[in-house]
Amino acid sequence: MSNEHTPLLTSGVCGLAVGMATVCGRGQPGESSPAHAGAPKKEPRKLDTFFGVMVPTVLSMFSIVLFLRTGFIVGHAGLLQGLLMLVVAYTIISLTILSICAISTNGAIKGGGAYYMISRSLGPEFGGSIGLMFFLAKVCACGVYVLGLVEAILNVFDAAVLGGVRVLPQGYWYNVLYSAVVLLLCLLVCLVGAHIYARTAFVILLVVNVTLLSILISPLAVPAQDFNITHHGPGNQTRHYDVSYTGFNATTLGNNLWRGYTLDYSTNSVMSFATVFAVMFTSCTGIMAGANMSGELKTPSASIPKGTILAVVYTFIVYVVLFFLVSSTCERDLLTQDYGFFQRINVWPPFVTIGIYCGALSAAMSSMIGASRILHALAEDQLFGLPLAPAAIKSSSGNPWVAVMYTWALAQCVVFAGQLNAVAGLVTVFYLLAYAAVDLACLALEWASAPNFRPTFQLFSWHTCLLGIISCLVMMFVINPVYSSASIVVLLLLLLFLHYRSPTSSWGYISQALIFHQVRKYLLMLDVRKDHVKFWRPQVLLMVSNPRSSSQLILFVNQLKKGGLFVLGHVQLGDLDSFPSDPVQQQYNFWLSLVDKLGVKAFVDLTLSPSVRQGTQHLLRITGLGGMKPNTLVLGFYDSCTPDDYFLQDPAFCHASPGKMQEDNYNFGVDLPSLQAHFPPVRHVESPRWLSPEEYVGIVSDAIKMDKNVCLGRYLFELQGEGRDSKVDGSERTIDVWPLNLLQPSRCDRVDVCSLFLLQMACVLNMSGRWRRARMRIFLNVEAASGEQGWAVNEETFRELLRKLRIRAAITIVPWDAAVQSYCACRAASQAAVRFLYLPRPPAHYSQSQQYLSQLEAVTNRLGPTLLIHGVTPVTCTDF
């Protein structure tokens, strides 16, 4: 796990992060930052389970709902629906807590809390987008708590007048001003450090619990009372309400059992199940307050599960008791028209006032600290480049003060909403989305069945994860479909943005584990005994000596695979006994980077062997798995031509712009200079040949013996427009097919297996993207002595065959005695973009290898891009 916090590698749009390296106190990606470079000292982890997890979680879950919105929930929804909301909300968070506990007990957790868990489980794209959404949720929650605190302050000073002037004037802009003052106080505390807040939070928790105790004993000490409540509505309207506190009363309880949704005096809008649930769920948004402190916890893997579960159980019991208490003692109008009614019915009203102030202030500070830690983790991982780069700066004590400043500025924007209930829906939707992501992370880890996912917390399963995801998504749309849809759209845009930037990391990607799990399952289901010719497709092993001279062949064969397997094979000459370790393993990254550069969909398989022929035999036998094994071997042509260096022609392999070079630096440790240096220069005329003619022909013979089709490509370096950026559509291209063995025409049937395979491969090429609109011509050789009538019969017979095979092509009759001359004339015309020729079977004795190659060279000399094909597999079918 030593590399689990390696910074993400930046590129693309926000690649300017490198320019901020010195500002942010971080080196360039790939270098050690000053904070890590010698690792002089590590920030001490100071907090235990109680102070670091349970205290902030309890305070965050109490927040402003406990004292300011308990009456709002019971008054509008009634006791039964209120309890239903509570059960639903706590069921959702309980399912999420199970996922949090599982992930947090599966290894070391660093700073960033929920973001760290998600990003290290699902990868940078999903983790970064959800992390930013969770950061915004924390920011909005901070604004909500501040607005709740200001509301409580104004309730206390509503009638306070000094010299004929209100002590605290009220109005929208005054609310914003008071909120700004409270946020400034939170900022100052958070700049001191999380450990100071954690210690003071314990004192705040004591105060809140004393306030709770006073509320519980007040019905026993406070007699029944009547109150008159006045509200100023729109248009200078004044509403008066006569309400009562009855003490414990069965009639009061009966009247409060059922729902009674009415006008919310703070927003002047009628409440519903969704709006009330949104407000109530803000009390459940604090379950990750302890997880967000993971960077300050001594033992986060043990503290997060234990502290979170205890906090949730405690707060649930408190809320249930309070719901029954207020339902039994307060009339509905008192609950719906005065959200701060606890102050009216307490044995000593200042208890409640102090509790509200402490609870709301601590929740706001907890959200600000949690949000700043998430933002700091995002900045350290360099996910969003320049915009968040300064947030990586920390003080000497380890406090991310710039991230705190970012959070404070955004929370300041939130308070412009003016009213708590107006923001509650957005906060709840953001949190539900983050909770669904945590459940998804745990579900993915469970489904991947990775051996290293063995959390010490076992009270979860994929059923709880899936149920948590579904319940979160359903409640999101129940609360506010518009906010939910918008948040998902924003999430998808962030996913696309991060995917476009193509960050790479050493965290590990859960997608790879899931893909492996599914691929293994489907490979086992891919039974070779059930193969049928109707569903045949080329599965190609292309042997490559040096990609510098073979890149055009690689690009062309990529068009021939038709969704089948494509493997680049390479044999390194040598004996493993003469090496201290396997030299082939170190080369895979270079070959995979080559595949990325060329933009082909290919696998790579390398081997070490004393000879190329033996190595090719190894690859033909062992490459692939199950039903996905090569059925076709492709080789470059054996001739004396001096190959060109493709790396000098393709811009992708030449010196790129700084942004492109920076992107290359993050290609899994293989940059462009390293890639160029790894592959040797192309062969010169004087260079020795590593492969003899006999060995080359032996490879062809071996493949045919192993029941593999063989293709030899010549002059394919002349073919243009095969690169991934090419706009060629094939409309000006022609594919010529010669399905007759030109070396032994009298012994060949034009409809044998090899000829049909030749036609099939030409059709496959004609179906690929850059050849789809190309014209196909088939040259049919007939004996001149048969006359025109014989030619017509041969042509009609072959046309009927093409009709059965659903092949659209023009047929040209070529008299055999003039075949060679006609072929030369066709070569000189150079009308075809590529030609498919019949490859004869190699000679049985190796002494004839040179003659065999000389004949092939004579037939294809200066012919242009040509593919010599010998097929041994029946690949055509006339049935449906």
Side-chain angles (χ1 to χ4, degrees):
M1 303 289 287
S2 60
N3 291 327
E4 282 285 52
H5 215 64
T6 302
L8 272 176
L9 306 172
T10 59
S11 60
V13 177
C14 292
L16 296 173
V18 176
M20 288 294 295
T22 54
V23 178
C24 299
R26 298 177 63 87
Q28 291 196 14
E31 297 180 356
S32 299
S33 64
H36 295 85
K41 63 176 182 178
K42 213 173 181 179
E43 292 89 8
R45 294 172 174 257
K46 306 175 181 177
L47 304 179
D48 57 14
T49 301
F50 182 75
F51 288 104
V53 180
M54 189 172 179
V55 170
T57 302
V58 169
L59 288 176
S60 296
M61 297 186 72
F62 281 162
S63 63
I64 43 90
V65 174
L66 182 68
F67 298 125
L68 288 180
R69 288 299 182 269
T70 299
F72 166 84
I73 296 166
V74 176
H76 285 287
L79 176 62
L80 296 181
Q81 279 200 11
L83 290 174
L84 175 63
M85 291 180 185
L86 195 67
V87 170
V88 170
Y90 270 76
T91 298
I92 292 174
I93 64 172
S94 297
L95 293 171
T96 304
I97 287 169
L98 297 180
S99 300
I100 294 173
C101 295
I103 297 175
S104 63
T105 59
N106 190 54
I109 297 180
K110 299 183 180 179
Y115 159 69
Y116 186 88
M117 297 180 193
I118 297 171
S119 62
R120 270 51 177 184
S121 299
L122 300 183
E125 292 95 342
F126 207 96
S129 53
I130 284 292
L132 189 61
M133 298 289 284
F134 194 44
F135 164 73
L136 294 176
K138 280 284 181 184
V139 169
C140 292
C142 180
V144 165
Y145 301 145
V146 170
L147 289 172
L149 178 57
V150 170
E151 178 185 310
I153 294 173
L154 293 178
N155 285 342
V156 172
F157 291 93
D158 183 30
V161 177
L162 184 62
V165 179
R166 278 189 172 185
V167 174
L168 291 179
Q170 297 193 24
Y172 172 77
W173 289 107
Y174 281 112
N175 286 1
V176 173
L177 175 63
Y178 304 148
S179 300
V181 173
V182 174
L183 272 175
L184 183 61
L185 176 61
C186 294
L187 172 66
L188 295 176
V189 175
C190 293
L191 287 177
V192 173
H195 60 284
I196 300 297
Y197 159 74
R199 299 301 177 184
T200 57
F202 174 64
V203 178
I204 295 174
L205 181 62
L206 288 178
V207 173
V208 169
N209 279 302
V210 169
T211 304
L212 269 175
L213 185 60
S214 71
I215 290 174
L216 295 176
I217 65 174
S218 289
L220 303 176
V222 177
Q225 301 179 41
D226 296 324
F227 307 101
N228 182 267
I229 299 175
T230 302
H231 291 308
H232 299 286
N236 292 323
Q237 296 179 1
T238 302
R239 299 191 183 98
H240 298 278
Y241 300 91
D242 292 321
V243 297
S244 299
Y245 163 72
T246 63
F248 287 111
N249 188 295
T251 303
T252 303
L253 177 61
N255 293 336
N256 288 329
L257 283 178
W258 310 106
R259 64 183 182 182
Y261 297 109
T262 184
L263 192 72
D264 171 27
Y265 68 83
S266 66
T267 59
N268 290 314
S269 57
V270 178
M271 294 291 98
S272 64
F273 181 93
T275 53
V276 173
F277 182 83
V279 173
M280 195 222 68
F281 198 83
T282 56
S283 67
C284 300
T285 57
I287 61 170
M288 292 188 182
N292 291 332
M293 303 286 287
S294 57
E296 283 82 18
L297 296 174
K298 294 177 182 176
T299 54
S301 296
S303 297
I304 290 174
K306 188 187 303 182
T308 304
I309 292 174
L310 290 174
V312 168
V313 171
Y314 175 67
T315 55
F316 179 76
I317 294 172
V318 169
Y319 276 117
V320 170
V321 171
L322 280 184
F323 277 23
F324 275 102
L325 179 70
V326 300
S327 300
S328 305
T329 59
C330 302
E331 288 186 349
R332 186 181 296 272
D333 284 345
L334 174 59
L335 301 178
T336 57
Q337 301 306 322
D338 184 8
Y339 300 152
F341 72 98
F342 277 131
Q343 299 174 61
R344 296 178 182 269
I345 64 172
N346 199 269
V347 289
W348 191 54
F351 266 141
V352 179
T353 303
I354 295 171
I356 291 174
Y357 292 175
C358 291
L361 191 62
S362 67
M365 288 188 292
S366 175
S367 295
M368 184 175 286
I369 289 176
S372 65
R373 269 42 181 185
I374 295 172
L375 185 64
H376 176 69
L378 284 166
E380 278 200 321
D381 289 337
Q382 300 180 6
L383 272 173
F384 294 93
L386 181 61
L388 298 187
I393 300 174
K394 296 188 292 187
S395 65
S396 57
S397 61
N399 188 27
W401 64 272
V402 177
V404 173
M405 296 296 295
Y406 269 64
T407 306
W408 168 77
L410 290 175
Q412 187 66 61
C413 297
V414 174
V415 300
F416 280 98
Q419 291 294 337
L420 182 156
N421 290 0
V423 193
L426 181 62
V427 174
T428 300
V429 166
F430 275 169
Y431 270 101
L432 283 170
L433 190 60
Y435 292 168
V438 173
D439 289 323
L440 178 62
C442 189
L443 177 67
L445 289 169
E446 178 70 6
W447 274 354
S449 301
N452 282 323
F453 182 62
R454 43 180 189 272
T456 56
F457 183 87
Q458 293 291 322
L459 299 179
F460 78 101
S461 71
W462 69 266
H463 304 85
T464 62
C465 301
L466 186 59
L467 184 60
I469 295 171
I470 294 172
S471 57
C472 286
L473 294 178
V474 169
M475 289 313 302
M476 279 174 58
F477 283 92
V478 168
I479 290 168
N480 195 310
V482 176
Y483 285 166
S484 301
S485 302
S487 63
I488 291 175
V489 169
V490 171
L491 176 64
L492 293 176
L493 290 175
L494 289 171
L495 278 169
L496 290 174
F497 169 75
L498 291 176
H499 181 72
Y500 170 76
R501 295 187 68 241
S502 299
T504 57
S505 74
S506 58
W507 305 343
Y509 294 80
I510 188 63
S511 58
Q512 295 296 303
L514 290 172
I515 290 170
F516 177 89
H517 184 74
Q518 292 302 109
V519 166
R520 181 195 63 85
K521 180 171 69 175
Y522 287 117
L523 275 175
L524 290 172
M525 297 170 62
L526 192 61
D527 193 341
V528 294
R529 297 169 296 182
K530 298 178 182 178
D531 282 349
H532 194 279
V533 67
K534 287 190 295 187
F535 307 113
W536 180 91
R537 66 182 71 230
Q539 305 207 74
V540 181
L541 171 63
L542 171 60
M543 297 302 299
V544 179
S545 174
N546 189 346
R548 287 181 177 272
S549 57
S550 307
S551 294
Q552 287 286 17
L553 179 59
I554 295 172
L555 293 171
F556 177 75
V557 174
N558 188 57
Q559 300 290 319
L560 274 176
K561 66 181 186 302
K562 188 54 183 173
L565 181 69
F566 181 22
V567 181
L568 300 183
H570 174 74
V571 179
Q572 179 174 338
L573 297 179
D575 189 345
L576 190 59
D577 289 340
S578 61
F579 294 95
S581 61
D582 186 1
V584 167
Q585 297 301 320
Q586 305 166 7
Q587 300 183 30
Y588 271 96
N589 270 2
F590 294 97
W591 284 85
L592 291 172
S593 296
L594 172 74
V595 168
D596 294 337
K597 284 285 185 186
L598 293 174
V600 296
K601 297 178 180 178
F603 297 94
V604 173
D605 213 347
L606 313 177
T607 189
L608 183 70
S609 179
S611 70
V612 177
R613 184 177 180 180
Q614 286 187 21
T616 305
Q617 289 178 5
H618 296 165
L619 293 177
L620 282 171
R621 292 185 187 281
I622 66 175
T623 295
L625 200 62
M628 292 191 68
K629 296 183 74 67
N631 55 32
T632 304
L633 174 67
V634 180
L635 303 171
F637 196 78
Y638 191 94
D639 56 22
S640 57
C641 293
T642 303
D644 293 331
D645 191 338
Y646 182 79
F647 284 13
L648 301 179
Q649 304 171 14
D650 191 335
F653 293 93
C654 300
H655 293 294
S657 62
K660 187 69 176 175
M661 291 177 67
Q662 180 185 347
E663 181 179 349
D664 291 334
N665 289 335
Y666 310 134
N667 197 0
F668 297 95
V670 180
D671 56 10
L672 186 56
S674 300
L675 184 65
Q676 292 173 330
H678 176 74
F679 297 108
V682 296
R683 175 176 53 84
H684 297 290
V685 178
E686 298 83 6
S687 302
R689 302 293 293 266
W690 295 104
L691 194 64
S692 66
E694 292 76 16
E695 191 173 11
Y696 179 84
V697 175
I699 292 173
V700 176
S701 180
D702 292 343
I704 295 174
K705 290 178 182 177
M706 297 169 71
D707 204 27
K708 308 293 183 184
N709 311 294
V710 179
C711 302
L712 308 181
R714 190 177 192 190
Y715 296 125
L716 288 172
F717 60 86
E718 297 179 4
L719 193 61
Q720 302 298 321
E722 293 301 296
R724 60 179 171 183
D725 297 328
S726 173
K727 300 298 188 293
V728 174
D729 62 357
S731 57
E732 299 181 357
R733 288 178 164 181
T734 302
I735 303 171
D736 284 358
V737 182
W738 295 75
L740 185 67
N741 185 349
L742 297 177
L743 298 183
Q744 296 175 328
S746 58
R747 301 184 184 178
C748 223
D749 184 357
R750 62 177 56 91
V751 291
D752 65 1
V753 171
C754 187
S755 298
L756 292 176
F757 184 84
L758 194 73
L759 291 171
Q760 181 79 338
M761 294 299 287
C763 284
V764 168
L765 180 64
N766 204 190
M767 296 168 71
S768 64
R770 297 188 179 93
W771 296 84
R772 191 177 301 276
R773 299 178 63 183
R775 295 179 296 114
M776 189 187 301
R777 300 185 303 186
I778 298 178
F779 291 87
L780 195 61
N781 303 104
V782 297
E783 294 181 5
S786 62
E788 293 186 3
Q789 185 176 0
W791 298 354
V793 171
N794 281 304
E795 181 180 357
E796 184 58 33
T797 302
F798 202 80
R799 194 174 297 281
E800 180 63 24
L801 174 65
L802 295 183
R803 191 178 299 113
K804 290 181 178 180
L805 297 177
R806 289 90 62 203
I807 297 176
R808 290 180 294 179
I811 298 178
T812 301
I813 299 294
V814 180
W816 174 243
D817 57 0
V820 177
Q821 292 83 354
S822 300
Y823 206 70
C824 293
C826 180
R827 176 190 304 135
S830 300
Q831 294 177 350
V834 67
R835 295 166 178 82
F836 285 70
L837 303 186
Y838 190 115
L839 175 67
R841 180 180 285 271
H845 199 273
Y846 71 91
S847 61
Q848 298 176 318
S849 299
Q850 186 63 59
Q851 179 185 356
Y852 175 75
L853 289 177
S854 298
Q855 291 175 331
L856 296 181
E857 185 170 5
V859 170
T860 59
N861 187 37
R862 292 179 297 172
L863 194 58
T866 303
L867 204 64
L868 291 155
I869 299 177
H870 186 91
V872 297
T873 307
V875 293
T876 57
C877 180
T878 57
D879 298 329
F880 177 73

